[in-house]
């Protein structure tokens, strides 16, 4: 199936099953899922067989990038970034290979000044 297949999350034929898989016309969906607000794209996520799997991106209402990262089998993997509306990096989170462990987290204010930083101690 082509990865260029795309549906809008608000489409009446999009649903979720009891296991929280995304369905389109009753079948687990593979492709891109979009969300629009006021006619503007605000999110774009990749799905495979109804499970979020691949790039995940969100935009502020003005079109500037709000966040991006990668999801594998429904769980965050690797680096996720968030930006303030002015384009300044707001947060950086790094998830472990299991998708459950947050390994580090850093936050900045709208002027780019660090406000919080945390890293998992690997000496366990």
């Amino acid at each position: 199936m082509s990865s260029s297949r795309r549906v809008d999350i608000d489409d009446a034929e999009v649903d979720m099953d009891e296991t929280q898989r995304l369905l389109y016309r009753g079948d687990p969906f593979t492709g891109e899922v979009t969300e629009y607000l006021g006619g503007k794209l605000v999110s774009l996520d990749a799905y495979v067989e109804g499970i979020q799997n691949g790039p995940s991106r969100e935009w502020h209402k003005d079109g500037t990038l709000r966040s991006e990262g990668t999801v594998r089998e429904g769980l965050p993997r690797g680096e996720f970034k968030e930006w303030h509306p002015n384009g300044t990096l707001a947060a950086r989170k790094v998830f472990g290979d299991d998708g459950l462990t947050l390994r580090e987290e850093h936050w900045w204010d709208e002027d780019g000044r660090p406000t919080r930083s945390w890293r998992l101690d690997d000496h366990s």
Side-chain angles (χ1 to χ4, degrees):
M1 183 174 297
S2 171
S3 64
S4 63
R5 192 166 173 216
R6 186 179 273 194
V7 298
D8 188 315
I9 193 70
D10 294 323
D11 187 311
E13 296 187 90
V14 172
D15 200 3
M16 296 289 250
D17 69 10
E18 64 279 352
T19 64
Q20 297 302 303
R21 289 183 309 166
L22 186 116
L23 306 177
Y24 181 66
R25 296 182 177 166
D27 294 320
F29 180 74
T30 296
E32 295 177 330
V33 177
T34 61
E35 182 177 7
Y36 291 86
L37 183 62
K40 295 189 178 189
L41 182 66
V42 293
S43 74
L44 177 63
D45 297 297
Y47 279 76
V48 175
E49 291 296 313
I51 306 295
Q52 192 175 356
N53 197 69
S56 177
R57 298 181 88 186
E58 294 180 327
W59 292 267
H60 292 283
K61 289 187 284 185
D62 69 359
T64 59
L65 192 59
R66 178 179 178 175
S67 68
E68 72 177 355
T70 301
V71 176
R72 295 280 176 240
E73 299 172 354
L75 297 171
R77 306 290 170 99
E79 184 176 74
F80 271 74
K81 291 182 177 180
E82 297 176 28
W83 289 268
H84 291 287
N86 69 2
T88 302
L89 187 63
R92 179 179 172 270
K93 300 175 184 179
V94 179
F95 292 87
D97 292 337
D98 62 2
L100 300 171
T101 305
L102 181 59
R103 304 209 51 86
E104 59 184 270
E105 183 175 46
H106 309 276
W107 293 87
W108 294 268
D109 67 16
E110 289 184 345
D111 295 319
R113 291 184 296 260
T115 59
R116 187 171 66 217
S117 190
W118 174 88
R119 184 169 299 188
L120 182 65
D121 184 7
D122 288 327
H123 305 314
S124 47

